[in-house]
Amino acid sequence: MVVSEKSGHPVGSKDYPRTLVEFDEWFASEAACEDFLRRLRWPEGFYCPGCGAAGGWKTSRGLFRCPSCARQTSVTAGTLFEGTRKPLRLWFQAIWYFTNQKHGVSALGLQRILGLGSYQTAWVWLHKFRRAMVRPGRDLLSGEVEVDETFLGGADSDIDGRETDRSLIAIAAEIRGRGIGRIRMARLDDASADSLIPFIKSTVSEGALVRTDGWAGYLPLSRHGYRHRPTSLRATGLPAHVVMPGMEDSVLSSEPCTNAA
Ligand SMILES: [Zn+2]
């Protein structure tokens, strides 16, 4: 497995080692661990958490220095690892072990596998991991989820005739009975599978039933652990975002939808 890019946000379950051998290759050094963390925090490049200025440079002590307010920020500031005196590599090993034990991890087990001198450290780390693990899983949509794309920001072009850049927005919405549950949205570069699948993987939990229109960009879904139910809406000749049932019930009209499948 190869890290997809040197810049840009690592993608969950893709940009992550699957085996111990891969782990060792990925995180062979402190520098590699720092680099991974930097990409997670600042996928578009460093910006100052104080004043928001972009750019800056790395000091000899490995801190990022803001070009505007001169504030110095470490890559671990504000993360699980802030203020630690232990190597990041040890932390990463602990997390990797923690996330790969199906039947749970004890502080004693963690202390032993990492060779930590102190049981207390293992115990504190374990609790940090458990707290940190709570949110990601809960944030993912599950059950039955409808995914669709639409364009936003194009209204002005109709009025003054100018071509403006319209943004492609992907929407994932949980179907709850006749209503809509939680919703996730993101701006995509395009409607290709390379854009749509990562969006779905980052917003919808595996095993969910994903309903989409018949667009080819969704076809790989079933290979990514989802139950995929495409509806051939394109056959109606209407743009998909006008006829997908749950999406439009809440946004546009209350008319019942008739799918010419
Ligand atoms: Zn600043």
Side-chain angles (χ1 to χ4, degrees):
M1 189 189 306
V2 182
V3 183
S4 58
E5 279 178 60
K6 269 301 168 193
S7 61
H9 198 294
V11 178
S13 80
K14 176 164 161 253
D15 288 335
Y16 200 70
R18 275 163 218 243
T19 65
L20 195 52
V21 171
E22 277 187 3
F23 179 94
D24 282 336
E25 286 169 0
W26 279 47
F27 303 120
S29 64
E30 275 300 282
C33 296
E34 278 174 27
D35 199 52
F36 188 82
L37 208 50
R38 176 184 59 75
R39 286 170 52 210
L40 267 180
R41 300 198 60 192
W42 302 302
E44 321 287 343
F46 170 77
Y47 63 88
C48 174
C51 71
W57 60 90
K58 234 173 157 181
T59 70
S60 54
R61 291 174 54 221
L63 301 172
F64 291 90
R65 184 187 161 90
C66 173
S68 177
C69 72
R71 171 172 164 160
Q72 299 191 358
T73 306
S74 86
V75 75
T76 58
T79 72
L80 208 60
F81 320 109
E82 180 165 8
T84 185
R85 276 173 286 175
K86 293 272 194 287
L88 275 179
R89 192 157 189 276
L90 191 63
W91 278 98
F92 281 29
Q93 284 171 331
I95 291 170
W96 196 83
Y97 176 71
F98 177 78
T99 53
N100 277 280
Q101 300 303 305
K102 283 201 168 59
H103 303 293
V105 174
S106 69
L108 194 60
L110 191 64
Q111 183 192 2
R112 280 197 184 131
I113 196 101
L114 296 179
L116 291 171
S118 136
Y119 175 85
Q120 170 75 4
T121 302
W123 191 89
V124 169
W125 283 21
L126 214 48
H127 279 76
K128 281 191 172 211
F129 298 160
R130 286 189 181 133
R131 276 201 305 276
M133 291 287 287
V134 171
R135 259 191 70 234
R138 279 196 187 162
D139 275 357
L140 292 179
L141 307 187
S142 57
E144 191 175 343
V145 179
E146 191 172 304
V147 180
D148 205 353
E149 335 92 56
T150 190
F151 283 99
L152 280 185
D156 286 345
S157 63
D158 294 329
I159 295 163
D160 59 18
R162 262 186 310 129
E163 278 295 315
T164 54
D165 281 335
R166 304 210 300 163
S167 296
L168 182 66
I169 308 294
I171 308 162
E174 276 177 342
I175 307 299
R176 293 257 178 86
R178 293 205 57 193
I180 295 268
R182 298 173 297 170
I183 294 181
R184 300 286 179 269
M185 283 187 263
R187 189 170 60 78
L188 300 186
D189 290 338
D190 53 50
S192 68
D194 284 347
S195 299
L196 286 167
I197 302 298
F199 164 71
I200 292 165
K201 291 184 83 164
S202 66
T203 52
V204 182
S205 64
E206 278 187 21
L209 175 67
V210 180
R211 296 167 55 129
T212 68
D213 60 28
W215 173 238
Y218 294 114
L219 289 183
L221 266 178
S222 53
R223 293 204 305 269
H224 290 268
Y226 297 99
R227 291 173 295 144
H228 181 210
R229 191 161 301 163
T231 311
S232 302
L233 296 169
R234 310 257 157 161
T236 65
L238 290 168
H241 65 269
V242 176
V243 280
M244 280 304 275
M247 219 59 91
E248 301 316 313
D249 282 355
S250 63
V251 181
L252 291 179
S253 77
S254 56
E255 278 185 5
C257 172
T258 49
N259 292 337

